[in-house]
Amino acid sequence: MNNKMKIVVIGGSGLIGSKVVTNLRQRGHEVVAASPSTGVNTLTGEGLAEALAGAQVVVDVANSPSFEDKPALEFFETSGRNLLAAEKAAGVKHHVALSVVGTDRLLGSGPGSLSGYFRAKMAQENLIKASGIPFTIVHATQFFEFAKNIAQSATDSSSIRLSPVLMQPMVSDDVAAAVADVALGEPMNGMVEIAGPDQIRQDELVRQFLSATGDARKVIADANAGYFGIAVNDQSLVPGANARLGPTHFAEWLSRTTTQKTATEKQSAPASNLSGDAVKVVALLLCGIVFAALSLRNAAADDSSTDKPKAAATTEPKEAKVTPLLSKELMDLPGKEGLMVTVEYPPGSSDPIHRHNAHGFIYVLEGSIVMQVRGGKEVTLTPGQTFYEGPEDVHVVGRNASQTKAAKFVVFFVKDKGAPVLVPAK
Ligand SMILES: NC(=O)c1ccc[n+]([C@@H]2O[C@H](COP(=O)([O-])OP(=O)(O)OC[C@H]3O[C@@H](n4cnc5c(N)ncnc54)[C@H](OP(=O)(O)O)[C@@H]3O)[C@@H](O)[C@H]2O)c1
């Protein structure tokens, strides 16, 4: 392995960024997950100098919140300038950026198409090339996860018209692994292409995705439909002969994704994989969580908003979703039990102040969360990071760090048998 390095991942809370962060941490490096939700903003420059101090490598996998021509161009130009200037000041030795295979072939179409976004990516690449900082630009093909966006972009209520153009998509895990490999290698001062193992036509990709996810809409092949309004041919979206290919096939990912979805749905249904007493315990505990959370939210609404209708507070769509995974009486710790749950925070979700009267061990799976117990320091955690709270702790901050991305974590509790898992606190 290379020597341990400090690596800053800009966009470290995003789809690719969070996986790059986990990958590099697992390989023993000091990794900073940088994004607005962790106080680092490339558009304003906020937090950049602090995050980059002592860093050898910067990986930029941020994305513009808007894909419209003007805001996307402003995002990639302003962010690029701020980031590269901060890297120069910090003496960064390798700048890695993620862009799109065929960016230079997708610049031409007019208003309403996605070509403005690709012009913005091109501007980002040009700034990097002119910066004087050693760099590698990674061009990836479309992510498997992006099939959903393609379907959404081209749909009316019953059918989707898509050009049957060749693609060579890849799964986000393979993108992240390849980007992490590049970050640990020498700067190429050039571009490397990465792609999936198979070519598939755009209409077929979306057809298979819809069929696997139980979506009844029909996909119609239409050579004039283009790619997000951009005129394309069979060379536009596929990489050249030297591309590095990820191992994961689309069919394999589809089956894994749909199996996971089914398993999650089963787990969300009344604790069907737990038996006997465990079912009762988990059901009671969850009632406790939901009841406590709801009563606290309603109490908060009563306190703070006399002019706001109460119904508005109860229809708030930002509550955490708690899913039980496993419950077990701990025979060698009399009176105690272990409980494992996942918690999903929608964007902007925040818990009321509470305590657990339990040992709680948190492990972040996705996104970014902010945690604090009374008297402790507020910390922002990203995938792979952990947090502990003890039976005496009052949990004063528990929230999603991002207003735009969901977050998910596992909690393992060791608690008194049958006691509620969450109680309100002040
Ligand atoms: N979709 C595809 O098929 C495809 C294919 C090839 C390449 N790419 C490229 O892959 C890259 C990553 O895409 P993704 O899907 O992983 O993106 P994503 O999930 O939308 O994540 C975007 C990230 O950018 C961060 N960000 C937004 N504004 C920022 C700012 N002002 N300063 C710093 N960070 C900021 C976000 O932070 P918060 O969470 O705090 O908002 C988030 O961490 C993009 O550059 C895209 O062009 C995409």
Side-chain angles (χ1 to χ4, degrees):
M1 192 189 87
N2 301 28
N3 293 330
K4 181 171 174 175
M5 292 194 284
K6 176 174 172 183
I7 304 173
V8 179
V9 180
I10 306 290
S13 58
L15 172 67
I16 301 300
S18 56
K19 292 170 194 270
V20 172
V21 167
T22 305
N23 185 308
L24 290 170
R25 279 193 185 136
Q26 281 169 350
R27 289 153 85 166
H29 296 281
E30 179 194 343
V31 185
V32 177
S35 71
S37 49
T38 61
V40 183
N41 191 324
T42 48
L43 258 185
T44 61
E46 182 200 348
L48 262 182
E50 295 83 346
L52 263 52
Q56 285 100 323
V57 179
V58 169
V59 179
D60 184 5
V61 284
N63 208 358
S64 167
S66 166
F67 282 28
E68 301 283 319
D69 296 13
K70 214 166 153 244
L73 187 62
E74 193 192 320
F75 178 86
F76 284 112
E77 281 191 337
T78 309
S79 290
R81 283 202 188 97
N82 288 340
L83 179 58
L84 293 162
E87 286 180 30
K88 259 203 175 140
V92 168
K93 303 279 182 300
H94 188 184
H95 177 94
V96 177
L98 182 59
S99 193
V100 189
V101 161
T103 292
D104 55 338
R105 300 188 286 268
L106 301 167
L107 309 174
S109 304
S113 76
L114 202 63
S115 60
Y117 177 81
F118 291 105
R119 288 195 291 278
K121 292 296 288 182
M122 202 73 236
Q124 176 192 26
E125 293 188 25
N126 289 337
L127 285 169
I128 295 167
K129 289 174 192 161
S131 70
I133 299 169
F135 70 93
T136 309
I137 295 171
V138 181
H139 271 194
T141 53
Q142 287 64 38
F143 313 154
F144 290 165
E145 290 85 346
F146 199 57
K148 191 174 173 188
N149 303 53
I150 301 177
Q152 274 163 359
S153 78
T155 184
D156 61 32
S157 55
S158 59
S159 65
I160 301 171
R161 304 189 88 81
L162 286 171
S163 169
V165 65
L166 265 189
M167 302 177 85
Q168 198 168 329
M170 66 189 299
V171 74
S172 60
D173 296 287
D174 292 348
V175 177
V179 169
D181 284 348
V182 167
L184 299 182
E186 292 298 317
M188 296 169 70
N189 294 319
M191 185 264 286
V192 59
E193 287 187 318
I194 59 174
D198 312 302
Q199 295 195 338
I200 184 169
R201 295 198 175 272
Q202 181 179 224
D203 60 323
E204 188 53 25
L205 177 88
V206 173
R207 200 171 285 122
Q208 288 183 18
F209 175 79
L210 295 183
S211 156
T213 52
D215 189 324
R217 283 173 298 165
K218 279 217 150 14
V219 178
I220 299 163
D222 176 353
N224 296 318
Y227 175 71
F228 288 90
I230 303 172
V232 279
N233 61 34
D234 277 348
Q235 282 73 51
S236 303
L237 301 173
V238 297
N242 296 325
R244 300 182 189 175
L245 303 187
T248 311
H249 298 278
F250 185 56
E252 191 184 326
W253 174 77
L254 264 187
S255 110
R256 195 187 335 137
T257 308
T258 45
T259 311
Q260 268 168 9
K261 194 163 168 266
T262 315
T264 309
E265 280 162 5
K266 275 195 190 142
Q267 279 173 356
S268 306
S272 56
N273 60 338
L274 303 175
S275 63
D277 288 349
V279 173
K280 278 184 228 147
V281 170
V282 171
L284 283 171
L285 293 173
L286 284 176
C287 283
I289 292 174
V290 173
F291 176 75
L294 283 177
S295 20
L296 282 174
R297 277 168 207 279
N298 288 341
D302 286 346
D303 285 342
S304 61
S305 65
T306 42
D307 54 349
K308 224 194 245 169
K310 273 183 202 162
T314 50
T315 53
E316 246 281 318
K318 292 186 170 173
E319 272 162 23
K321 179 180 165 208
V322 181
T323 306
L325 301 176
L326 181 69
S327 166
K328 189 109 183 99
E329 189 173 346
L330 302 174
M331 294 311 203
D332 50 353
L333 291 176
K336 298 281 181 191
E337 65 189 354
L339 169 69
M340 194 183 264
V341 301
T342 55
V343 181
E344 288 167 78
Y345 281 155
S349 176
S350 177
D351 290 336
I353 297 177
H354 63 271
R355 58 190 295 163
H356 298 291
N357 298 329
H359 297 272
F361 301 82
I362 289 177
Y363 180 84
V364 183
L365 298 171
E366 289 167 20
S368 177
I369 61 173
V370 183
M371 294 280 146
Q372 185 184 12
V373 294
R374 183 160 290 145
K377 223 176 128 215
E378 182 178 287
V379 289
T380 301
L381 308 167
T382 53
Q385 292 191 303
T386 54
F387 185 79
Y388 166 78
E389 56 186 296
E392 304 305 321
D393 284 327
V394 177
H395 200 149
V396 287
V397 180
R399 66 178 170 84
N400 190 338
S402 176
Q403 294 294 326
T404 56
K405 298 266 153 16
K408 184 174 179 181
F409 55 97
V410 174
V411 194
F412 172 60
F413 292 108
V414 177
K415 57 184 282 298
D416 290 340
K417 189 165 176 282
V421 76
L422 182 149
V423 289
K426 292 232 177 217

